[in-house]
Amino acid sequence: MANTSSTTVEGGRLDSAAGWAVALSASLATFAVFAVAYSFGVVLASVRDEFSIGTGLASLLFAIPTFLYFVLGVFTGRLGDRYGPRRVLFAGAVALGVGLWATSLAQSLWLAMTTYVLGVGISVACAYVPMVSVVGGWFERHRTAALGVAVAGIGLGHFAGAWAAQWLIELYGWRDTYRVLAVVSTGLLMLAAIAARRPPYVAPPSEMPSLRRLMHNRRYTLLYFSMMLLSASLFVPIIYIKDYLDDLGKPGGQWLISIIGLASLLGRLALGALGTVLPLMRLYQLSFTIMGLSYLIWLFAGDNYTVLVIYTLVMGCSYGGFIALSPAVAAELFGLAGLGGVLGALYTAAGIGGLVGPPLAGLLIDGAGYRVTIVAAMIIALTSVPLLVASGRARVVPLATVGAGEAAARATTPAQREQFQTASAARAGDVTAAGALGNAAPAAGHGRRRPVTVQSFRAAPAQSAAGPASIDSVLLLSFGGPEGPDEVMPFLQNVTRGRDVPAERLARVSQQYLRHGGVSPINEQNRALLAALSGELARRGTPLACYWGNRNWHPYLRDTVEVMAGEGRRHAAVIVTSAFSSYSGCRQYHEDLARAADEVPQAPLMSRVRVYGNHPGFAGALAERIREAVEGARLRSDVHTLFTAHSLPIRMAASCDYEAQLRDAAETVAAMAGLRGEIEVVYQSRSGPPQVPWLEPDVNDRLAQLGSAGCRTALVVPLGFVSDHMEVLVDLDTTARATAARAGIAMVRARAVSTHPLFLEALVDLVEETAGLRADRPAVGHLGPHPDRCAPGCCPIERGA
């Protein structure tokens, strides 16, 4: 099997003892650096008195390192993804030891600030983001609990650091305190580095999301700003609560700082464990809300120490939940591929909040007092909650495997670049045709109507006669999917109507959608394909109006056909987002078209393009996707390759050419991609009752067998899917990848054809074929081109299947 430099298996399996050892090493690392960083509230008075400065300026010694270590996390996270955590931790240990020792010797404020900022900032950046992302990669079932253990070191360091710093300052002063901390914390980081290991699976660079994609992702942006606002407020009590008590002439402020740390430790462990059984986003939102409301307790506490203890307990627990759940939420929302880079970029929000919040709070304290400052901190914290809620509801756009961006970047010929520019311009011209729906009654099961998306460069003339050459439009026909949490169950009920699927099965499947915000990525992918197809049609001089309709959700096929009839369309070439023959992938779509034609007055004639699984454009596009994956992960050409497709009941498969078409296509695409290793067709996503036999082997079963046989690298290719929709993201990127990691296999997945230029050219070729404008009918493999019309008995449904 192939060995790779960027996809590394160091041994161990997911959710194993080795993973828990890494979680403990992460806890030790975070303890070492945050014991220093969060003890600053104790040291604040000594620094302020020695250098004769105000509270706002002194707080910069906390704010700037906080900003620095969160911003540097962008780079250390990616370094950890690429080189592993051990080297990064060693670098952090050196930076912390040298920085603290130099700070203890500094005789000017600016020198002390420089050495402290660099030492603490670099060390925390090296210990925090790389280690939590590594822990996330070691776990599947117990990820939130393990991450709770990993970041528990922060709370423990907060508790122990404040207490130890106070004790050392009383004995030796702040300078000797930092010398002691330099030696101890450096040694602990070195020890943690020895135990730090890469996870069983490390994504290749080709699968890691870019910063550009992150910044253009609405869900990520909303999460980013919510974290920035919350961070601006949460550091206020960490730095100032001891100073608050000192101003009131009351002792014990250092213990309140320690209680925040201890409570956050409990919150990290408790909410981390709850995250394995309760919805992560709901717990995360609860943490934000409680943290904001907790400031009310501080506001009315006055000098009552008992009430202040209650405040620090409540605030600390919610703060611990925020810290523990953040990496788990990021892993769930954006995937494990390049998690270190994703977390590093996300935590710059905390860095900005930490840079701006404490100095402004210090200035507000000096000018207006603590009550005004507490109210301001509470308002800022609560403002973060609606942004977080909106983030959970935002449309999911996959960061590393979907869309035309990467294909466009790889388009090297002028024609390819022009093609993608044209497609992008086409998308900007999206219009809706809501008015064309009129007052017609909705079809059964459709519910509230929605606008039907139409993509058109200019209106194609309606023809007076129907025939192949009279084609005036293109209809993209797909499966459909929900676009919000409240749509998930109605959509699933549409899909399974008449199939007697148990309610508990629907509930389990609904959770898969809800973990992605209740949004199926197939919709955005179809919009992208519609735009790109319109662009290619225009580039080829065939500017047909392009429409999109679905079988199971808005825009429903019937609604779209009504719009087409209202706009005078007479004949449409129909492209189905299924490349191979089966009842559900071919014949059922013909039935859908026939039903829509019967139900819509003056419906256009609708001619489906031929099945295209062996069209050279489809096969060539998938071969290029394979080469992208192989080159990006530096795989050898003899890698073991699994071509996946949706499983079918065996009785259904026996009545069509589905299996033969898949085998022929897999062999052809593998040859075109230059693969020399063993290839297999495997299946995924079966959904029927266990007593009904379906096509096998299942991809998970085969990966487990390959791992037992000593295979250490496998390439997975979604042959039976046009785009990277929910079944690919869940069944391959989540479930199969976890199975591979447990089996000791580094799994690399090729992307689906999506909007690849060769696939777009193939679709336009097929439209021209259907219009009678092309005489050639190209095909690759051994089966020859498929007929335009299916035989009467082709792909019948087996009701007993």
Side-chain angles (χ1 to χ4, degrees), residues 488-489 492 501-515 687-688 690 730:
V488 171
M489 193 55 71
L492 293 176
V501 176
E504 57 270 19
R505 167 65 180 165
L506 289 184
R508 287 197 301 272
V509 176
S510 71
Q511 289 303 312
Q512 296 176 356
Y513 283 93
L514 293 174
R515 280 195 288 269
S687 58
V730 173

Side-chain angles (χ1 to χ4, degrees), residues 20 23-24 26-27 30 144-153 268-269:
W20 288 108
L24 290 173
S27 186
T30 54
T144 53
L147 286 168
V149 171
V151 297
R268 290 163 218 262
L269 295 175

Side-chain angles (χ1 to χ4, degrees), residues 559-596:
D559 297 345
T560 302
V561 173
E562 284 183 343
V563 171
M564 297 172 72
E567 294 185 352
R569 304 302 172 200
R570 301 294 303 279
H571 193 179
V574 181
I575 298 171
V576 173
T577 56
S578 177
F580 298 95
S581 298
S582 66
Y583 173 76
S584 58
C586 182
R587 186 181 183 90
Q588 191 175 7
Y589 283 113
H590 282 287
E591 295 173 355
D592 296 334
L593 291 168
R595 186 180 305 109

Side-chain angles (χ1 to χ4, degrees), residues 296-383:
L296 286 172
I297 304 174
W298 187 7
L299 184 64
F300 294 107
D303 62 353
N304 189 313
Y305 198 82
T306 301
V307 178
L308 287 171
V309 168
I310 294 172
Y311 162 69
T312 55
L313 286 170
V314 174
M315 185 271 173
C317 284
S318 58
Y319 159 55
F322 161 62
I323 298 298
L325 297 177
S326 290
V329 167
E332 181 167 289
L333 295 184
F334 308 114
L336 289 177
L339 180 59
V342 172
L343 282 176
L346 185 62
Y347 284 154
T348 59
I352 295 172
L355 176 67
V356 174
L360 288 180
L363 293 175
L364 201 55
I365 290 166
D366 289 340
Y370 268 99
R371 290 187 65 83
V372 173
T373 305
I374 295 168
V375 171
M378 178 178 65
I379 292 173
I380 292 172
L382 290 176
T383 304

Side-chain angles (χ1 to χ4, degrees), residues 63-335:
I64 296 177
T66 301
F67 174 74
L68 183 64
Y69 64 64
F70 280 127
V71 169
L72 287 180
V74 176
F75 306 101
T76 58
R78 290 182 176 267
L79 288 173
D81 287 337
R82 183 174 293 273
Y83 300 111
R86 191 168 296 158
R87 298 179 187 178
V88 180
L89 268 185
F90 275 124
V94 173
L96 185 59
V98 172
L100 288 181
W101 198 276
T103 302
S104 73
L105 301 175
Q107 297 302 313
S108 71
L109 173 64
W110 302 112
L111 181 59
M113 288 184 66
T114 301
T115 55
Y116 181 84
V117 162
L118 291 176
V120 174
I122 293 173
S123 64
V124 176
C126 290
Y128 185 29
V129 173
M131 287 305 295
V132 296
S133 63
V134 163
V135 172
W138 271 98
F139 290 88
E140 179 194 12
R141 292 188 300 273
H142 305 296
R143 181 177 298 140
T144 53
L147 286 168
V149 171
V151 297
I154 303 175
L156 191 58
H158 194 159
F159 171 75
W163 175 83
Q166 181 68 32
W167 178 66
L168 289 170
I169 286 172
E170 290 174 355
L171 289 177
Y172 307 113
W174 73 270
R175 293 183 182 275
D176 284 340
T177 294
Y178 274 159
R179 292 188 185 105
V180 173
L181 291 177
V183 174
V184 174
S185 58
T186 300
L188 292 177
L189 274 182
M190 293 284 190
L191 186 61
I194 295 172
R197 300 169 61 192
R198 285 177 179 265
Y201 169 78
V202 179
S206 63
E207 295 186 19
M208 295 182 184
S210 66
L211 288 176
R212 179 182 61 82
R213 283 204 170 189
L214 285 173
M215 296 307 174
H216 286 84
N217 183 286
R218 185 168 182 268
R219 165 169 279 191
Y220 175 87
T221 303
L222 289 168
L223 183 62
Y224 186 92
F225 282 109
S226 69
M227 182 179 285
M228 182 173 67
L229 289 172
L230 190 72
S231 300
S233 66
L234 75 86
F235 290 117
V236 173
I238 292 173
I239 298 176
Y240 296 117
I241 198 161
K242 178 181 181 297
D243 198 60
Y244 169 81
L245 267 186
D246 289 346
D247 278 359
L248 295 174
K250 298 286 185 176
Q254 74 275 12
W255 290 110
L256 293 179
I257 296 176
S258 293
I259 290 171
I260 292 176
L262 181 61
S264 75
L265 171 62
L266 298 176
R268 290 163 218 262
L269 295 175
L271 290 176
L274 283 175
T276 63
V277 295
L278 296 178
L280 270 179
M281 186 56 81
R282 295 289 174 84
L283 283 175
Y284 200 52
Q285 293 166 356
L286 182 65
S287 296
F288 275 54
T289 304
I290 293 175
M291 200 182 313
L293 294 175
S294 70
Y295 286 94
L296 286 172
I297 304 174
W298 187 7
L299 184 64
F300 294 107
D303 62 353
N304 189 313
Y305 198 82
T306 301
V307 178
L308 287 171
V309 168
I310 294 172
Y311 162 69
T312 55
L313 286 170
V314 174
M315 185 271 173
C317 284
S318 58
Y319 159 55
F322 161 62
I323 298 298
L325 297 177
S326 290
V329 167
E332 181 167 289
L333 295 184
F334 308 114

Side-chain angles (χ1 to χ4, degrees), residues 686-733:
R686 71 158 289 166
S687 58
Q691 67 271 20
V692 176
W694 284 51
L695 292 177
E696 295 178 340
D698 180 82
V699 61
N700 292 282
D701 295 339
R702 190 63 185 124
L703 284 168
Q705 293 167 359
L706 290 174
S708 299
C711 175
R712 288 296 170 260
T713 306
L715 174 65
V716 174
V717 181
L719 172 65
F721 304 94
V722 169
S723 64
D724 296 306
H725 51 61
M726 188 65 76
E727 286 177 322
V728 175
L729 298 181
V730 173
D731 295 336
L732 294 184
D733 289 354

